[in-house]
Amino acid sequence: MTTEQVPLRVRLAYRLLYGLLYLLSLLPFACWYGVSNGLFWLVYRRIRYRQSVVRDNLAACFPDWDEARLQQTERAFYRHFCDSIVEGIKCISMTDAEVRRRVLLSRPELPDEVAASGRSVLLFTSHYGNVEYLASLFDVACQGILPAVGVYSPFRSPVFDLLLRRIRSRRGMALIPMRNSIRAGLSRMQASQCVFAMIIDQTPRRTEHLYFTQFLGRPTPFHTSAAYMALQSGAPVYLAYTRKLRRGYYQVEVNELDTRPYQPFSEEQVLALTDRLAAELEKPILEAPEYWLWSHRRWKHAPRPGDRRSVLLAATAPES
């Protein structure tokens, strides 16, 4: 749905909210990190936003940790979570120069190399570090070189959905709703060269049989669409995540994943590549777990009869 197709009252609410956030985003970072400190007290100490979810997730993924380490990681997660909120607001007005100064690309030559190859590429990431900064950096790095296309999950609120689309597309990134990602993505990549970006640690909906693989030591449902697109298109695959250097500064790490061992295309190879992607996504989480989105109800679905299970879980007893 385009902005013009949205009801007038929704457009007015969106424009009012966007204008207010834009003006607030012009405040210096020092002010916003003061806000983040206050937000941490409110979210962690008073509201205790999804604290039971965070604690259950950490305890289940790191059963060997003592209580002190679990609590330390929990607090560090909430501090980073609050920083990410204010940094997302700052993205509304950040200049290209400021993005480049605060977010470094581990391989700055990559956009030119991809453009020279003449091929579209897939860029996979997860809810780790700062997704908005990663998107902003690739928007900046790809400007004038090749177009960027991103998959996004629409908000239920049309006002916030318009806001998200405005922030993520303000430098020209084209957005595709997740429900259309495979068909629209393959079509877009075949039509012209682009970087197609996708967050791939989303929880699938329980609308059909799911595929479970090993992730952070637990049977975890995963979308197979990322592996399907990679093998169906034959496009080069890059994995990216934002590594936090210090408050307000990040480095985007980008590594190419060799998908040749998973060719030719078949259902078995799609599942095997999904296993590999899950294993790659968990590496930075295990190194610095406080930067992953632990408040997400990632394990709300348990395996049921009829669900497909990775060979990595062959020794795991079925869960009810």
Side-chain angles (χ1 to χ4, degrees), residues 38 47 50 105 109 155 157 175 191 196-197 224 238 242 263 266 280 282 287 296 304 306 318 320:
I47 300 176
R50 292 193 177 182
L105 183 59
E109 73 285 352
F155 276 96
S157 165
L175 297 177
F196 189 88
T224 58
Y238 292 89
T242 44
Q263 294 285 5
S266 70
E280 293 296 327
E282 74 176 9
E287 291 177 3
H296 179 42
R304 295 178 181 176
S320 58

Side-chain angles (χ1 to χ4, degrees), residues 259-273:
T259 59
R260 288 174 298 179
Y262 304 96
Q263 294 285 5
F265 178 88
S266 70
E267 181 66 15
E268 291 74 17
Q269 295 292 28
V270 168
L271 300 184
L273 180 54

Side-chain angles (χ1 to χ4, degrees), residues 136-150:
S136 295
L137 178 65
F138 269 91
D139 246 0
V140 170
C142 291
Q143 273 186 329
I145 301 176
L146 71 167
V149 181

Side-chain angles (χ1 to χ4, degrees), residues 172-248:
M173 177 182 285
L175 297 177
I176 296 175
M178 178 170 286
R179 63 182 177 273
N180 300 327
S181 59
I182 296 180
R183 183 173 57 186
L186 290 173
S187 176
R188 178 66 177 79
M189 293 169 66
Q190 292 169 359
S192 60
Q193 187 186 20
C194 67
V195 174
F196 189 88
M198 190 175 181
I199 297 174
I200 63 171
D201 63 342
Q202 305 273 16
T203 303
R205 293 182 179 179
R206 175 54 93 174
T207 55
E208 56 187 20
H209 293 315
L210 301 179
Y211 178 66
F212 283 79
T213 188
Q214 188 85 347
F215 182 66
L216 295 173
R218 305 175 66 181
T220 307
F222 257 83
H223 285 289
T224 58
S225 54
Y228 180 91
M229 286 187 66
L231 298 185
Q232 186 77 337
S233 67
V237 172
Y238 292 89
L239 296 174
Y241 70 93
T242 44
R243 182 164 60 88
K244 196 167 189 173
L245 304 176
R246 63 184 189 278
R247 199 175 203 184

Side-chain angles (χ1 to χ4, degrees), residues 5 15 63 71 76 89 97 118 170 176 186 197 234 237:
Q5 295 172 312
R15 287 169 181 168
Q71 290 182 1
I89 295 174
R170 75 184 186 97
I176 296 175
L186 290 173
V237 172

